């Protein structure tokens, strides 16, 4: 398996622009998570989905952030308009939903997207 | 809600020396516990995990961790550190509750390995 795929790996944009981050989870995983990592706040959960439905978005910082999962193999995190304080590394992770002999509750992380907002 | 504390922000260790990273969790029942490692510019990789059973857990890359319920701890250890172990290490806790799949991560411990 290719693992969790994120694109782009790096994004540099100017304040006020719209930014879209993309994630392809591991095939067969029915939970998808978006995290943000900064020096000041560490690794924060923004939102997670189960079977394409948002379950908990309490970590989304404000209305400028939105996330969608139109199908089981694709999710986006959008920031509109972007601000310099949104600069961070954004990670996507996925996992299976069923308990089994292995991998229950283990989340598999993508390589991240490093976002810089000037 | 569950939470994790990693008391050490940064640890420097000599190559070949032993390493221990501390992790304390807060949760009302037996939690799911994890250690992840993040190399510079990379995503997080799972080192090991604990759910139940033997409290000493073996992981990849020669790491092990011990769950101590009485101390609410899940410390990570390695007997002999290699230069390639220089990275940031995260302890995480998950609820032992069906349908609640959020993980709470500690702030991380950065490990520097000196020759």
């Amino acid at each position: 398996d290719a693992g969790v795929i994120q694109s782009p790996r790096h994004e540099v944009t100017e304040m006020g622009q719209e930014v879209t981050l993309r994630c392809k989870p591991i095939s067969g995983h029915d939970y998808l998570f978006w995290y943000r990592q900064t020096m000041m706040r560490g690794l924060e959960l923004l939102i997670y989905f189960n079977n394409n439905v948002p379950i908990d978005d309490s970590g989304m910082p404000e209305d400028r952030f939105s996330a969608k999962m139109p199908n089981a193999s694709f999710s986006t995190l959008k920031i509109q308009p972007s601000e310099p304080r949104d600069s961070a590394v954004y990670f996507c992770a996925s996992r299976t939903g069923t308990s089994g002999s292995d991998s229950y509750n283990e989340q598999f992380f993508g390589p991240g997207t490093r976002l810089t907002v000037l | 809600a569950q939470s994790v504390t990693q008391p050490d922000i940064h640890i420097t260790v000599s190559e070949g020396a032993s390493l221990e990273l501390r992790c304390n969790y807060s949760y009302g029942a037996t939690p799911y516990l994890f250690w992840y490692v993040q190399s510079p510019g990379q995503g997080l990789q799972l080192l090991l995990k604990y759910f139940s059973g033997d409290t000493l857990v073996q992981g990849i890359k020669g790491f092990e961790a011990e769950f101590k319920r009485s101390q609410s701890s899940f410390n990570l250890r390695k007997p002999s550190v290699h230069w390639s172990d220089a990275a940031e290490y995260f302890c995480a806790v998950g609820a032992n509750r069906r349908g609640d799949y959020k993980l709470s991560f500690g702030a991380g411990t950065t490990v520097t390995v000196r020759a």
Side-chain angles (χ1 to χ4, degrees):
Chain A
D1 199 316
V4 177
I5 298 172
Q6 291 187 247
S7 64
R9 292 295 309 276
H10 302 273
E11 177 80 37
V12 180
T13 190
E14 293 188 346
M15 183 174 62
Q17 296 299 305
E18 178 180 294
V19 174
T20 299
L21 311 181
R22 297 172 176 79
C23 174
K24 176 179 169 54
I26 293 172
S27 177
H29 284 190
D30 46 8
Y31 282 82
L32 183 140
F33 304 79
W34 281 102
Y35 291 89
R36 178 173 66 176
Q37 186 180 39
T38 62
M39 289 291 292
M40 293 299 296
R41 301 176 67 90
L43 199 62
E44 305 172 277
L45 176 66
L46 300 177
I47 185 172
Y48 77 97
F49 295 83
N50 176 217
N51 291 325
N52 315 336
V53 176
I55 302 300
D56 186 338
D57 65 354
S58 60
M60 295 287 263
E62 49 197 276
D63 292 345
R64 297 184 297 107
F65 285 70
S66 63
K68 294 182 180 180
M69 193 164 185
N71 57 62
S73 59
F74 184 66
S75 176
T76 59
L77 178 67
K78 185 176 294 186
I79 308 172
Q80 166 62 19
S82 57
E83 296 183 3
R85 60 193 168 116
D86 301 330
S87 298
V89 180
Y90 291 82
F91 288 102
C92 177
S94 70
R95 57 150 286 166
T96 58
T98 56
S99 293
S101 60
D102 194 12
S103 78
Y104 40 83
N105 263 57
E106 174 181 352
Q107 294 182 19
F108 294 82
F109 282 76
T113 295
R114 181 173 295 278
L115 173 64
T116 303
V117 183
L118 304 174
Chain B
Q2 62 269 27
S3 65
V4 172
T5 301
Q6 293 181 246
D8 305 304
I9 297 173
H10 191 193
I11 287 180
T12 299
V13 61
S14 298
E15 191 169 15
S18 64
L19 174 68
E20 181 167 13
L21 304 181
R22 296 184 290 165
C23 171
N24 293 100
Y25 69 89
S26 174
Y27 185 63
T30 301
Y32 291 159
L33 293 162
F34 307 83
W35 275 100
Y36 283 86
V37 62
Q38 184 181 26
S39 298
Q42 303 297 314
L44 280 71
Q45 180 185 22
L46 183 71
L47 285 175
L48 47 77
K49 58 191 177 185
Y50 173 80
F51 301 115
S52 64
D54 192 347
T55 57
L56 186 62
V57 181
Q58 301 297 319
I60 63 171
K61 304 185 180 188
F63 284 92
E64 67 178 24
E66 186 171 13
F67 171 64
K68 292 186 177 180
R69 183 190 305 276
S70 61
Q71 299 177 18
S72 297
S73 69
F74 189 56
N75 294 348
L76 182 71
R77 298 192 293 256
K78 186 169 184 177
S80 177
V81 169
H82 187 261
W83 64 267
S84 61
D85 293 323
E88 189 161 17
Y89 293 80
F90 294 91
C91 183
V93 60
N96 189 354
R97 186 168 59 242
R98 180 171 290 278
D100 183 350
Y101 296 133
K102 294 167 63 171
L103 290 184
S104 296
F105 285 83
T109 298
T110 299
V111 173
T112 298
V113 180
R114 58 180 175 223

